[in-house]
Amino acid sequence: MAAIQSLSVTVVEDNPNMRLMLCQVLRVIGVSTLVEACNGHEAIDALRQSRPDVLITDCNMAPVDGLELTRWVRTSGDSPDSYMPILMVSSLSDPRVHQRALDVGISHFLPKPFQPRELIEALFQVIRQPRPFVRTDSYFGPDRRQGERDEMMFDGPDRRLFGSDTEVIQ
């Protein structure tokens, strides 16, 4: 539990009720350092100052949404930590939104509505079982295959091989 108590989390959510719920769940499990932001623009300023261990962000916000925020964290020279675990929450149920979130480098996607237990499990997963990071010409972030490489080996034309432009970073 000491690891959770020392954890610093930034929560970015434009809905004040959802932001309150997220923060309350985090406080209940012992997270003592919480920074709140209403959108991605505020979050960028907060991230520059607070340098959290984990970022929890909504997807759909204005003027800067969670996808743009994630892209900034992963690729900006001003980012406090491009390897920061990013947990994205969203009420957008379109699978394309989930895929776009993976493509910009989130660590975990949690669809709304969710139970507090699901948030806690997702948080523990990104902290205790982080996926290796991958760098290619067009992507930097956690391995998007989510364990397929470790669980399955493909033969024939459908197998997935690392290209010569792919670097796996442990």
Side-chain angles (χ1 to χ4, degrees):
M1 239 359 172
I4 293 297
Q5 292 171 345
S6 65
L7 197 64
S8 171
V9 179
T10 295
V11 175
V12 187
E13 171 62 65
D14 58 347
N15 180 311
N17 294 323
M18 179 58 72
R19 190 171 59 249
L20 176 65
M21 190 275 295
L22 288 164
C23 289
Q24 285 178 331
V25 170
L26 295 170
R27 283 186 188 100
V28 164
I29 65 169
V31 174
S32 60
T33 307
L34 287 170
V35 174
E36 299 179 39
C38 297
N39 60 56
H41 182 72
E42 283 185 17
I44 289 171
D45 290 338
L47 290 171
R48 286 179 175 144
Q49 294 176 13
S50 67
R51 305 178 68 88
D53 299 310
V54 177
L55 173 64
I56 298 175
T57 183
D58 185 23
C59 182
N60 192 25
M61 300 175 293
V64 176
D65 67 15
L67 298 171
E68 293 173 83
L69 175 60
T70 300
R71 190 175 295 110
W72 179 85
V73 169
R74 295 291 184 237
T75 63
S76 173
D78 291 339
S79 173
D81 180 3
S82 58
Y83 292 90
M84 178 186 314
I86 301 174
L87 174 59
M88 183 169 284
V89 297
S90 180
S91 59
L92 302 173
S93 60
D94 186 340
R96 292 175 293 190
V97 172
H98 183 190
Q99 187 59 51
R100 284 195 348 247
L102 289 172
D103 290 344
V104 296
I106 64 160
S107 305
H108 189 85
F109 188 87
L110 186 61
K112 295 178 190 173
F114 53 82
Q115 297 295 317
R117 171 188 48 78
E118 294 171 303
L119 173 64
I120 295 165
E121 288 172 358
L123 180 63
F124 284 152
Q125 180 181 353
V126 299
I127 294 169
R128 292 183 177 162
Q129 299 170 338
R131 294 193 317 266
F133 272 59
V134 173
R135 182 182 305 277
T136 69
D137 291 339
S138 60
Y139 174 77
F140 174 71
D143 190 339
R144 294 176 281 191
R145 292 172 291 183
Q146 301 185 27
E148 290 174 9
R149 182 169 41 118
D150 297 331
E151 295 172 10
M152 306 169 104
M153 294 300 291
F154 292 94
D155 290 325
D158 293 331
R159 73 177 178 263
R160 297 177 182 177
L161 297 175
F162 287 115
S164 60
D165 66 336
T166 302
E167 175 185 0
V168 176
I169 305 163
Q170 295 296 336

